[in-house]
Amino acid sequence: MLDAISAPLASFLRGFYEVLPLACLSAAAFDAGDLELAIAGLDDVDVDDWRAHCEFSGGYDADAPAVAAFWAFVADLPPEKKAKLLQFVTGTSRVPAGGFAKLQGRDGVDKAFELRRRPGGDAAFPVAHTCFNRLDLPEYSSSDVLQRIFLALLDGDVLGFSDD
């Protein structure tokens, strides 16, 4: 199989490295998520649309204080951080062509973004389930704690793994 794709792959890579030289990619220490952002660009993440197409579970609803703090935090993020957060919770930094109403799960079927309550309070970290467009959000004691934890997460590797 490798023989069948080696020539087309070599052609693709020659063209790709003309646009983004390997030395630049290596020097910039791009990971897969950074490369996706660089190639695909940033779509405008419409927080109102995202919120309007959100479901809740685990004891959360649209009026829960932790949910309100989360959406306030998201609304205040600059566009590149909104894209990183979207990448963290859905596996892609881009909004579907039809907006958040057309967000899909791992099987290609429409699957709304979901906020689920996670136990642990201030001692717990948020956990993303990208196949299910779900964020398990701890009920933090304040919006300051939520902001501190999410900013640290977004400044790091959004493609990382959880502890459970």
Side-chain angles (χ1 to χ4, degrees):
M1 180 170 168
L2 186 55
D3 291 333
I5 64 167
S6 63
L9 182 59
S11 295
F12 170 79
L13 289 174
R14 271 193 306 279
F16 182 81
Y17 291 140
E18 282 183 26
V19 176
L20 289 170
L22 182 58
C24 291
L25 291 172
S26 297
F30 276 179
D31 64 16
D34 294 332
L35 187 57
E36 178 187 0
L37 288 172
I39 291 172
L42 292 175
D43 274 355
D44 180 40
V45 176
D46 182 342
V47 178
D48 292 331
D49 183 45
W50 194 355
R51 184 181 321 166
H53 294 95
C54 178
E55 296 177 352
F56 305 96
S57 63
Y60 277 157
D61 61 33
D63 298 321
V67 170
F70 173 78
W71 290 122
F73 168 75
V74 175
D76 287 342
L77 288 172
E80 68 276 2
K81 295 284 188 185
K82 286 178 187 168
K84 281 188 89 168
L85 179 61
L86 184 61
Q87 172 112 34
F88 176 68
V89 299
T90 67
T92 181
S93 61
R94 301 193 60 128
V95 178
F100 283 96
K102 295 297 180 186
L103 199 59
Q104 295 181 349
R106 69 169 188 223
D107 56 3
V109 175
D110 289 354
K111 171 69 178 104
F113 175 69
E114 178 184 351
L115 281 174
R116 176 177 286 185
R117 185 178 175 280
R118 179 170 194 224
D122 291 353
F125 291 104
V127 174
H129 303 272
T130 57
C131 291
F132 307 106
N133 299 327
R134 189 177 89 210
L135 177 66
D136 294 352
L137 178 67
E139 199 165 3
Y140 294 118
S141 61
S142 71
S143 56
D144 290 338
V145 173
L146 180 141
Q147 181 176 7
R148 188 184 77 241
I149 289 173
F150 272 92
L151 286 176
L153 179 135
L154 294 174
D155 287 338
D157 176 14
V158 299
L159 300 176
F161 298 94
S162 73
D163 60 347
D164 22 36

